Amino acid sequence: MTLQHFFDSEYPKSSNSRDIWSVIDAITNASVKVSDDLKKAALLDNVLGAQGGQNIQGEDQQKLDVIADIAFIDAFKKSGAITGIGSEENEKFVSFDTEKSKDADYVVLFDPLDGSSNIDVNVSVGTIFSIYKRLSQYGESTELKDFLQPGTEQTLAGYVLYGTSTMLVLTWGSGVHGFTLDPDTNLFILSHQDMKMPVSSRLYAMNEGNIQECEPGIASYIKYCQSHDNDYEGPYSGRYIGSLVADFHRSLIKGGIYIYPNVPAAPKGRLRLLYECNPLAFIAEQAGGLATTGRIRILEINPAELHERAPLFIGSKNMVQKAMSFLS
Ligand code: AFP
């Protein structure tokens, strides 16, 4: 079944369903382009490597970060259903401000290419996105308040994983569904219906290089994972790709926990609340998992700024709860 067919049969019929489809259509169009560029990256001129600048987070921008950012922004502009966007790669939000887009219902927040420092070594990366209904007045430009909504207000969220196959994983609040790109037709086909995250597993993911720098409860939890005194009575396996979207996808399918806590170099955590934590938290919860800062639910945070960061404990419900029990 194609994504469009699935959407037509499953998305609640309402006045906004055409607009939501336009947004999904824009995402698939841009992701097919990005997927093609990634596949051929080492063969194309001027695609691999660093752009030579830094994004607002102070991180080195890869050329493909910029290429993906432009591809998604163009597709969102064309969709006619989006009034403005916030992107990890742009300092400020962008209000589209055409006659049509001033009346559009939705804003998108997205990370065009998560894990992009992995591109040059041919490791999976992804696009993560989150869609909200605007709060500003119709007919006017987008305002900051449109983007600073808690994750509980998301209408739609998902990611495209550019891995051994290209997959789109989506939720609109009634389960999580996965679609695989058929490279012969460029259509996304339903391959994973109603995905459920196992409630526990013996896989943990963390940049353990940071372990001495974290609050003590985190080192104690990791010791627990590595011991014989845990619920599996034997060491868990450590798995860390360094592309959140790929690490998360593994947890969604096989179960597991991903932790990125506060560290002195990133006192509020490294990950971006609006582009990474909220969309993945919506998916995790819809699949039966959990997403917290270690102390509070990610989706209930009221963001104060566009590029806000948050610590993230995400994955299988029992594992996230267990990890939280180690924090004072
Ligand atoms: P990039 O997109 O800049 O590569 O950042 C990736 C990321 O936000 C997330 O996808 C990774 O899990 C995390 O950072 C990796 O961070 P460390 O290199 O500090 O482990």
Side-chain angles (χ1 to χ4, degrees):
M1 189 188 286
T2 64
L3 168 61
Q4 182 159 21
H5 188 177
F6 183 78
F7 179 85
D8 287 343
S9 65
E10 295 291 321
Y11 193 84
K13 297 280 168 288
S14 64
S15 52
N16 69 1
S17 49
R18 282 303 95 202
D19 285 342
I20 293 294
W21 172 250
S22 304
V23 177
I24 296 175
D25 196 39
I27 289 164
T28 59
N29 289 338
S31 63
V32 167
K33 183 198 168 345
V34 171
S35 174
D36 280 349
D37 283 350
L38 284 166
K39 266 187 246 151
K40 291 181 283 192
L43 305 176
L44 298 173
D45 279 344
N46 227 9
V47 164
L48 276 189
Q51 172 79 2
Q54 291 191 326
N55 65 15
I56 177 69
Q57 341 280 334
E59 296 157 348
D60 290 339
Q61 265 183 329
Q62 304 297 307
K63 287 180 186 141
L64 268 160
D65 280 325
V66 178
I67 292 170
D69 193 42
I70 293 169
F72 277 92
I73 293 176
D74 281 354
F76 289 139
K77 237 182 226 167
K78 277 192 203 131
S79 80
I82 310 257
T83 182
I85 60 100
S87 156
E88 189 188 302
E89 297 304 325
N90 296 300
E91 182 179 353
K92 298 196 169 124
F93 65 87
V94 179
S95 186
F96 287 158
D97 282 348
T98 62
E99 219 168 286
K100 189 161 184 206
S101 66
K102 278 187 170 176
D103 281 325
D105 273 331
Y106 295 101
V107 295
V108 182
L109 285 150
F110 71 109
D111 177 355
L113 218 46
D114 176 61
S116 56
S117 54
N118 275 323
I119 297 168
D120 287 0
V121 290
N122 209 351
V123 166
S124 302
V125 293
T127 301
I128 314 177
F129 54 87
S130 195
I131 285 94
Y132 294 80
K133 201 141 198 201
R134 73 186 296 169
L135 299 175
S136 55
Q137 273 207 314
Y138 288 85
E140 302 290 333
S141 296
T142 314
E143 295 175 36
L144 185 58
K145 66 180 178 192
D146 293 319
F147 301 94
L148 299 187
Q149 302 188 49
T152 46
E153 298 306 308
Q154 290 171 99
T155 302
L156 178 83
Y159 58 84
V160 181
L161 176 65
Y162 310 102
T164 44
S165 57
T166 296
M167 257 194 89
L168 169 68
V169 173
L170 268 186
T171 185
W172 48 76
S174 54
V176 177
H177 310 291
F179 305 84
T180 300
L181 179 65
D182 176 350
D184 293 331
T185 58
N186 277 346
L187 291 173
F188 282 89
I189 308 294
L190 179 66
S191 50
H192 297 65
Q193 188 166 0
D194 200 15
M195 300 172 86
K196 293 284 176 231
M197 191 182 273
V199 291
S200 81
S201 90
R202 50 199 304 175
L203 296 173
Y204 73 93
M206 181 186 164
N207 180 344
E208 283 185 74
N210 290 328
I211 200 81
Q212 310 289 341
E213 312 255 290
C214 302
E215 60 180 299
I218 293 177
S220 306
Y221 174 66
I222 297 296
K223 254 193 193 142
Y224 162 86
C225 294
Q226 295 168 341
S227 74
H228 284 263
D229 298 325
N230 56 39
D231 46 351
Y232 284 93
E233 297 176 358
Y236 296 180
S237 293
R239 294 280 184 277
Y240 189 71
I241 297 169
S243 277
L244 170 64
V245 63
D247 278 309
F248 177 80
H249 190 68
R250 184 191 55 248
S251 299
L252 179 59
I253 292 186
K254 294 188 166 180
I257 185 169
Y258 174 101
I259 299 176
Y260 211 115
N262 298 335
V263 284
K268 292 181 177 167
R270 174 181 165 134
L271 303 172
R272 277 56 47 140
L273 175 63
L274 300 179
Y275 317 113
E276 297 174 306
C277 304
N278 271 339
L280 297 184
F282 189 18
I283 295 169
E285 289 196 4
Q286 282 294 314
L290 272 187
T292 76
T293 61
R295 294 187 166 82
I296 58 167
R297 188 178 172 216
I298 289 286
L299 293 180
E300 287 177 12
I301 299 173
N302 280 310
E305 52 183 343
L306 206 51
H307 297 286
E308 185 162 330
R309 295 175 191 254
L312 182 65
F313 289 58
I314 194 167
S316 293
K317 193 174 173 185
N318 293 352
M319 298 178 84
V320 174
Q321 280 170 343
K322 186 74 190 179
M324 288 172 74
S325 74
F326 279 81
L327 303 183
S328 46

